Amino acid sequence: MQVFFLHFFIFFSQLSYIDMGVEFMSHIIHYVTTNFKKIFHTVCTEIISCIQGTALHFVLVAAFLGTLNHFLYFLSGQSPIIALFCPVNESVWEHLKLLYFPFLFVSIWEYLSLHPVVLPFFYCRYLGVLLGMFFTVSVFYTYSGILGRNFLILDILLFYSSVIFSFGMSEYISGKTRSPHETEPGFVVSLWLITSFFFFVFTCFPPDLPLFYSA
């Protein structure tokens, strides 16, 4: 009998937590929906103000290279070398390459053109693209979870939004974050190399996780 009441108590305790969670989420959803225009305007204003430090053509080239990157693997005849830098299937992980590698190549071009201080520049660029990839994954799973599936037009808009978001966050961080000291070049280089290495390895040996499943 005691065991029965214990399970009964646990069951209703869980229900109360679920009700609290549902009520909390309903408040969040209500706030977002009633203030969506204000929130959207504030976010866009902040990103635009941050991205002004980056020449527009760098952003456009990154977006163009990312678009081209989507088709390059098949246009190359499925080259194993190209496969390391381009999506080889329709998984979310593989499509992060559309953002990461074009962003890296454009950042190198931007550095060679404008000659900013090398370590702070590439450190902030790395944090920017890292946040951009997190933005991509979180928004994709949020909207596809709510709608029950993904839509091509929303995926395309999400990619271009992620490019803008990455550059914007990079510029924002460059004005807010203390960058690595000049005696630590290996740290900044290793960030890019390790992330690239993970892309290479998981292209050849994808883990058995939903992030790596081909749609």
Side-chain angles (χ1 to χ4, degrees), residues 3 26 40-41 50 68 75 92 106 133 184 187-188 198 202:
V3 175
S26 66
F40 183 76
H41 179 266
C50 291
L68 178 63
L75 292 176
V92 176
V106 169
M133 291 190 292
E184 302 172 354
F187 172 71
V188 178
F198 277 120
F202 291 153

Side-chain angles (χ1 to χ4, degrees), residues 13 23 46 64-65 142 184 195 201-203 211-212:
S13 297
E23 183 179 359
E46 286 295 323
F64 172 77
L65 290 178
T142 299
E184 302 172 354
T195 305
V201 170
F202 291 153
T203 294
L211 182 66
F212 301 89

Side-chain angles (χ1 to χ4, degrees), residues 49-164:
S49 64
C50 291
I51 208 172
Q52 288 177 346
T54 302
L56 180 60
H57 63 275
F58 291 122
V59 181
L60 295 177
V61 170
F64 172 77
L65 290 178
T67 304
L68 178 63
N69 197 16
H70 189 276
F71 308 99
L72 198 57
Y73 173 64
F74 294 98
L75 292 176
S76 68
Q78 301 184 356
S79 166
I81 301 299
I82 298 298
L84 299 176
F85 301 93
C86 303
V88 298
N89 57 46
E90 294 300 315
S91 69
V92 176
W93 171 263
E94 286 293 309
H95 278 70
L96 293 178
K97 294 178 182 178
L98 303 181
L99 175 63
Y100 180 79
F101 287 110
F103 192 89
L104 171 58
F105 297 149
V106 169
S107 295
I108 294 173
W109 174 37
E110 186 178 0
Y111 170 74
L112 295 176
S113 300
L114 304 179
H115 304 290
V117 181
V118 58
L119 289 183
F121 174 77
F122 280 103
Y123 179 67
C124 293
R125 282 289 183 264
Y126 176 81
L127 294 180
V129 75
L130 193 68
L131 290 172
M133 291 190 292
F134 178 78
F135 173 80
T136 300
V137 173
S138 58
V139 172
F140 175 81
Y141 280 116
T142 299
Y143 101 76
S144 60
I146 293 173
L147 300 180
R149 53 162 294 191
N150 67 298
F151 294 88
L152 178 61
I153 183 62
L154 294 181
D155 293 342
I156 293 173
L157 291 175
L158 176 57
F159 164 67
Y160 292 127
S161 300
S162 298
V163 173
I164 296 173

Side-chain angles (χ1 to χ4, degrees), residues 20-33:
M20 290 172 59
V22 171
E23 183 179 359
F24 175 74
M25 288 304 300
S26 66
H27 283 303
I28 295 295
I29 294 172
H30 175 73
Y31 176 80
V32 172
T33 52

Side-chain angles (χ1 to χ4, degrees), residues 5-20:
F5 281 111
L6 177 61
H7 286 290
F8 185 81
F9 174 76
I10 294 174
F11 174 75
F12 277 96
S13 297
Q14 290 175 340
L15 284 182
S16 64
Y17 282 118
I18 293 173
D19 291 338
M20 290 172 59

